[in-house]
Amino acid sequence: MANQFKEYLQKYGIKPSTIRIKILDYFYHHRTHPTAEEIYQALLAELPTLSRASIYNTLDLFLSRGLLKTLPTEDRETHYDMNLDFHGHFECEKCGKIYDFSPPAFEHSPQELQGFVIHSKEMYYRGICAPCLHKKP
Amino acid sequence: MANQFKEYLQKYGIKPSTIRIKILDYFYHHRTHPTAEEIYQALLAELPTLSRASIYNTLDLFLSRGLLKTLPTEDRETHYDMNLDFHGHFECEKCGKIYDFSPPAFEHSPQELQGFVIHSKEMYYRGICAPCLHKKP
DNA sequence: CTAAATGCAAACGGTTTGCAATGCT
DNA sequence: AGCATTGCAAACCGTTTGCATTTAG
């Protein structure tokens, strides 16, 4: 398993290290959209001397290499998402939960971006999720 | 002109006020993706006693009513965008410029969101823009 | 041995907050 | 007057920074 992560990192031109593999592992097993603090708290058990700075360093590195992206949440803290296959996000304005969804197929790509190189795509919807719609107020 | 903004605010259930109209006016005339500070600096000339807190208050109000949304920039500061008609954003990873584009048409909407109410959609692309691609390094 | 990665603690700065002042009806 | 809006200044807290320490090859 750890070997897969190593290869994955190398594919993005990143030298493997303990923290880098652990963070990758975190995303792989949680499939959520965590904040830096959530990752920090989760890894603290295994890496007692871990510092937040190292989390931020690693997240920034991953961002710059396109391994992660940030979500346009209205939270104070930044939420990160792993850039695996292209998928969309729906944020419920009532309960705050973020849902993933598979993206609708496009009929064609935008003309304004002719000649642009696209590294990542993000779709972010906001609204009210079905569970919240059916809750009594 | 100011009357249009009043009506627009009321449509969103917001009582018009000087600052609210000015900020709306700013977005209407600039069509950019400004930070709170940029708006503050721009309005300071006309409203000398303006405070940043009022800018943040108003932006938060607009966000909560769906008049504005935030963009998933990697900047330290939050970038805001007016939620007019649905359009996408492309952020150049080299020069940082944010381009608008008209969204590609969808073949159908995602099944995972059946029964959800969608208030806003955001498409955010990242990559390298054509001008940067043609620049000499 | 050397360079990169990690940790620590302090500083930073965008944003938030509490409350006073002002404006509006 | 009474309530909402705005302004001010201080606090907050997520993030960044500089540098010391550790780790890996």
Side-chain angles (χ1 to χ4, degrees):
Chain A
M1 176 63 70
N3 270 334
Q4 284 184 24
F5 293 140
K6 276 192 196 176
E7 285 167 27
Y8 189 75
L9 287 169
Q10 279 158 351
K11 206 177 67 181
Y12 280 86
I14 298 172
K15 263 206 289 185
S17 79
T18 306
I19 293 183
R20 290 169 188 173
I21 292 174
K22 290 281 182 200
I23 292 186
L24 214 50
D25 186 284
Y26 180 92
F27 277 98
Y28 186 81
H29 284 102
H30 287 75
R31 306 272 170 178
T32 50
H33 315 92
T35 62
E37 183 65 19
E38 284 169 351
I39 300 173
Y40 173 71
Q41 292 300 337
L43 300 196
L44 206 51
E46 307 170 66
L47 308 172
T49 65
L50 183 64
S51 77
R52 287 183 178 80
S54 302
I55 299 288
Y56 283 112
N57 280 342
T58 308
L59 291 175
D60 288 348
L61 175 66
F62 284 5
L63 279 179
S64 70
R65 300 300 171 89
L67 236 131
L68 295 180
K69 60 190 170 193
T70 59
L71 300 186
T73 317
E74 277 160 33
D75 277 21
R76 192 194 192 87
E77 298 175 71
T78 303
H79 286 256
Y80 298 86
D81 180 54
M82 205 170 178
N83 219 350
L84 289 169
D85 36 282
F86 174 33
H87 63 278
H89 296 103
F90 176 97
E91 178 186 359
C92 178
E93 290 160 348
K94 210 145 209 166
C95 66
K97 188 173 171 194
I98 298 172
Y99 296 80
D100 288 342
F101 63 83
S102 7
F106 302 142
E107 283 168 7
H108 45 258
S109 51
Q111 296 181 332
E112 290 95 332
L113 304 184
Q114 291 286 349
F116 287 35
V117 174
I118 296 170
H119 288 157
S120 72
K121 299 176 185 181
E122 163 73 8
M123 302 198 56
Y124 207 79
Y125 288 15
R126 284 181 248 249
I128 312 289
C129 69
C132 278
L133 284 172
H134 299 137
K135 260 177 221 151
K136 292 277 175 293
Chain B
M1 176 63 70
N3 270 333
Q4 285 186 21
F5 293 140
K6 277 193 196 175
E7 284 167 28
Y8 189 73
L9 287 169
Q10 280 158 350
K11 206 177 65 182
Y12 281 86
I14 297 172
K15 264 205 289 185
S17 78
T18 306
I19 293 183
R20 292 170 187 172
I21 292 175
K22 290 280 183 200
I23 291 186
L24 213 52
D25 186 285
Y26 180 92
F27 277 98
Y28 186 81
H29 283 102
H30 286 76
R31 307 273 170 175
T32 51
H33 315 92
T35 62
E37 183 65 19
E38 284 169 352
I39 300 172
Y40 172 71
Q41 292 300 338
L43 300 196
L44 206 52
E46 306 171 66
L47 308 172
T49 66
L50 183 65
S51 77
R52 279 177 246 270
S54 302
I55 298 288
Y56 283 111
N57 281 342
T58 307
L59 291 175
D60 288 348
L61 174 67
F62 284 4
L63 279 178
S64 69
R65 300 300 171 87
L67 234 129
L68 295 181
K69 61 189 170 193
T70 58
L71 300 187
T73 317
E74 278 160 34
D75 277 22
R76 192 193 193 87
E77 300 174 71
T78 304
H79 286 256
Y80 298 86
D81 180 54
M82 205 171 181
N83 220 348
L84 289 168
D85 36 282
F86 174 35
H87 62 278
H89 296 104
F90 176 97
E91 178 186 1
C92 178
E93 290 161 348
K94 210 143 208 168
C95 66
K97 189 174 171 192
I98 297 172
Y99 297 80
D100 288 341
F101 64 83
S102 8
F106 301 144
E107 283 167 6
H108 45 258
S109 51
Q111 296 180 331
E112 291 96 331
L113 304 185
Q114 290 286 349
F116 287 33
V117 173
I118 296 170
H119 289 156
S120 72
K121 298 177 187 179
E122 165 71 8
M123 304 198 54
Y124 207 80
Y125 288 15
R126 283 181 250 248
I128 313 289
C129 68
C132 278
L133 284 171
H134 298 138
K135 259 177 221 149
K136 291 278 173 290

